[in-house]
Amino acid sequence: MGSKSVLVVAADRLDTGTLESALAETPASITYLSDLTDLFDTLTHSVFHALVLPETVDGQSGTDIAYGVRKLFPDLPVIVAGEDPAAVPDTLDVTAVEASTRLEDTVAEALRDSLDAEPPTVAGRPPSPMETLLLSLFNELPDHLYAKDEQARHVLLGRGFNEPTDRLGLTDVEVPELADEHARAALRDEMDVIEGDTDRIEVEEFLDLDASYVRTRKMPWYDSAGNVRGIVGHTQDITERKLREHAFRRQHERMVKVALVASHELRNELQIAYGRLEELADCDDSTADIEESLSQISTIIDTVVELSTSDPNGSSQRDEIEQVPKRKHVWLSRLSREVWDTLAGSEACLTFDGDTRIVADQESAGLLLQILFQNALEHAGPSVTVTVGTTADGFFVADDGPGIDVEPPERVFDAGHTAVPENTGFGLYVARRVAADHGWTISMSESESGGARFDIGNVDCQA
């Protein structure tokens, strides 16, 4: 038997000198790896017949690392030194060597058994150009590339946002730094791709990590037989673009309110002018020119309101600039978290009572949520708790503030209605217009805690 190559990820518990002595009569050459982040590069670029991992390395579980290795190098023998065999899942084909005073001897025995078997078909040969090409892509692309298996567990990560061994063996719901609602939505998206319910996922979302806003695409990972083996994901930092969009959204809201306030005041003046015009009906002088001018002013007001409050991606605009409709599936929690982050301080709290995908224009729906969140912050104060949840035909936004005392409740959506003196009273009016543009309904009632609750219904949802 010729010499076999063994890769050992170095750790304090495993004494390398003792291990080499225990393998003295075994035709094996040992390569030690001190930097765990180079594990996949080393396995790809060199030929190895076995891998030894410590129970933990750099704060990561050796078993989780072995999970990722076995998915990409399926017949490479992996030995986890110092691990309780009972802690290794039955579905993971690795050899766990329990910690003992003779750990190196036990590891050496396990290595000899592994090296006597047939050499691995992937790790036991030089890499193909395609393999080195893909590894270079994972290593050098500044974006976040990753691969997950049929259970949506990480098996490889690029170096753009993470290190290649980060999160190995974990689903997103098991990654501590990810918010619960984000992780659950991401896992659901991935399983839809894996199970064939959709051929790809594309979302823009708020993460509150190193990159605040990202665009993520997830596609199937096919094996040699054409079966879905997992997913391949690409996540790109779009924070600068999203900040520009948020500034535009705030500017657009101000423009809408200015137009509505101006039109409201001008219509009041027109009513007075028409009243005076009626008093001149019996005069000899012709009033036709005056009436025509007033009619023109009224038409101009209607046009300004229509232009300022209409969907910028509506049919007439699309016909002019040949845009495609921007309505698509978006997770309610993701959109809510993104909007909330631009408005609320540290004292305010956003919670979720269920989650769903809604079909919406993300910018317009974001404006509606922004208005409802602002309403809660203005009426309930900076320490308000706002809850976003699902209903049978849509979703709701509720707060724990003092509520809005108005009868009938529908008056809150009237143009100019406000309980806060410095407000224009057009925020909820705009929210109703946005809802109507989507074909949604919006109503107000009292929340369970006595605050205000807004229900948006007739929403195209996908749980």
Side-chain angles (χ1 to χ4, degrees):
M1 179 179 68
S3 178
K4 300 292 184 72
S5 299
V6 177
L7 180 62
V8 177
V9 177
D12 294 337
R13 173 173 289 188
L14 193 66
D15 184 81
T16 56
T18 305
L19 178 61
E20 289 181 7
S21 297
L23 289 170
E25 298 182 2
T26 303
S29 61
I30 301 178
T31 299
Y32 293 102
L33 182 66
S34 59
D35 187 351
L36 180 64
T37 63
D38 290 333
L39 177 59
F40 286 103
D41 294 72
T42 305
L43 287 173
T44 300
H45 290 124
S46 303
V47 174
F48 291 101
H49 301 87
L51 170 66
V52 178
L53 293 167
E55 175 193 6
T56 58
V57 54
D58 295 342
Q60 290 184 257
S61 162
T63 301
D64 287 342
I65 297 168
Y67 186 95
V69 170
R70 289 287 298 181
K71 288 295 180 177
L72 299 180
F73 302 90
D75 54 0
L76 175 67
V78 179
I79 298 164
V80 184
E83 180 65 274
D84 181 1
V88 178
D90 294 337
T91 55
L92 182 57
D93 186 13
V94 302
T95 302
V97 177
E98 197 165 8
S100 67
T101 56
R102 304 290 298 177
L103 178 61
E104 291 78 12
D105 289 341
T106 312
V107 170
E109 182 179 351
L111 275 173
R112 282 190 288 269
D113 291 341
S114 299
L115 297 177
D116 285 339
E118 289 293 322
T121 57
V122 179
R125 61 163 174 78
S128 69
M130 178 63 76
E131 290 167 331
T132 57
L133 171 66
L134 291 176
L135 185 62
S136 297
L137 187 64
F138 268 75
N139 282 339
E140 303 302 330
L141 194 70
D143 299 337
H144 180 38
L145 283 178
Y146 48 93
K148 300 183 182 182
D149 68 1
E150 67 280 355
Q151 299 179 48
R153 297 186 178 277
H154 290 83
V155 298
L156 183 64
L157 293 93
R159 296 181 185 270
F161 289 11
N162 302 91
E163 293 296 342
T165 51
D166 289 352
R167 305 181 182 179
L168 287 182
L170 304 179
T171 66
D172 277 1
V173 296
E174 297 166 323
V175 176
E177 61 264 30
L178 296 180
D180 288 345
E181 67 274 4
H182 164 81
R184 288 193 297 267
L187 180 59
R188 174 64 184 274
D189 283 345
E190 290 159 5
M191 294 309 299
D192 282 351
V193 175
I194 291 168
E195 294 171 358
D197 294 332
T198 185
D199 60 353
R200 70 174 52 226
I201 293 290
E202 182 171 347
V203 296
E204 294 182 359
E205 55 192 330
F206 170 73
L207 284 185
D208 198 20
L209 296 175
D210 291 340
S212 297
Y213 298 95
V214 297
R215 178 171 59 195
T216 295
R217 298 179 178 93
K218 299 174 182 178
M219 298 141 287
W221 168 19
Y222 296 103
D223 64 16
S224 59
N227 299 316
V228 176
R229 187 173 179 178
I231 65 107
V232 178
H234 171 229
T235 297
Q236 182 180 24
D237 185 353
I238 58 169
T239 301
E240 290 186 7
R241 197 202 83 200
K242 294 299 288 187
L243 293 178
R244 290 195 299 270
E245 289 179 358
H246 293 159
F248 172 77
R249 182 189 296 160
R250 291 190 293 269
Q251 183 182 30
H252 176 63
E253 183 190 11
R254 288 193 296 269
M255 180 194 72
V256 169
K257 288 182 177 179
V258 167
L260 292 174
V261 169
S263 65
H264 185 68
E265 297 299 325
L266 288 172
R267 284 195 175 108
N268 288 339
E269 298 302 320
L270 277 177
Q271 290 297 322
I272 296 173
Y274 275 120
R276 293 283 189 266
L277 187 62
E278 289 178 1
E279 295 175 2
L280 298 175
D282 297 331
C283 296
D284 295 335
D285 295 337
S286 174
T287 60
D289 291 343
I290 300 175
E291 185 172 3
E292 182 179 355
S293 295
L294 293 177
S295 178
Q296 286 291 336
I297 293 173
S298 180
T299 300
I300 291 171
I301 293 172
D302 291 339
T303 302
V304 169
V305 171
E306 179 65 25
L307 289 174
S308 64
T309 60
S310 63
D311 182 358
N313 303 297
S315 59
S316 61
Q317 285 81 3
R318 285 200 304 271
D319 291 341
E320 292 176 6
I321 61 178
E322 298 182 351
Q323 285 187 338
V324 296
K326 291 181 64 178
R327 295 187 184 183
K328 58 184 179 181
H329 284 98
V330 57
W331 281 100
L332 177 63
S333 63
R334 285 174 173 161
L335 184 58
S336 299
R337 180 67 67 183
E338 175 185 333
V339 174
W340 179 261
D341 181 63
T342 67
L343 300 173
S346 59
E347 296 180 15
C349 179
L350 178 66
T351 64
F352 294 94
D353 183 12
D355 199 6
T356 185
R357 294 187 186 99
I358 62 173
V359 178
D361 171 70
Q362 191 161 330
E363 285 303 309
S364 296
L367 177 60
L368 184 147
L369 288 170
Q370 175 180 312
I371 292 169
L372 297 183
F373 291 162
Q374 284 175 330
N375 185 79
L377 290 164
E378 290 168 355
H379 287 85
S383 60
V384 64
T385 294
V386 173
T387 301
V388 176
T390 58
T391 62
D393 69 337
F395 61 94
F396 70 88
V397 176
D399 65 56
D400 62 352
I404 301 176
D405 186 15
V406 59
E407 288 293 337
E410 289 73 22
R411 280 188 57 210
V412 298
F413 301 106
D414 290 347
H417 177 84
T418 180
V420 181
E422 62 269 21
N423 282 2
T424 63
F426 284 90
L428 293 176
Y429 174 78
V430 174
R432 185 174 64 179
R433 292 291 297 261
V434 172
D437 285 344
H438 280 80
W440 300 344
T441 61
I442 183 170
S443 59
M444 193 203 77
S445 60
E446 184 176 294
S447 69
E448 292 183 357
S449 60
R453 169 174 168 141
F454 293 89
D455 281 83
I456 295 85
N458 199 36
V459 181
D460 186 359
C461 298
Q462 181 182 355

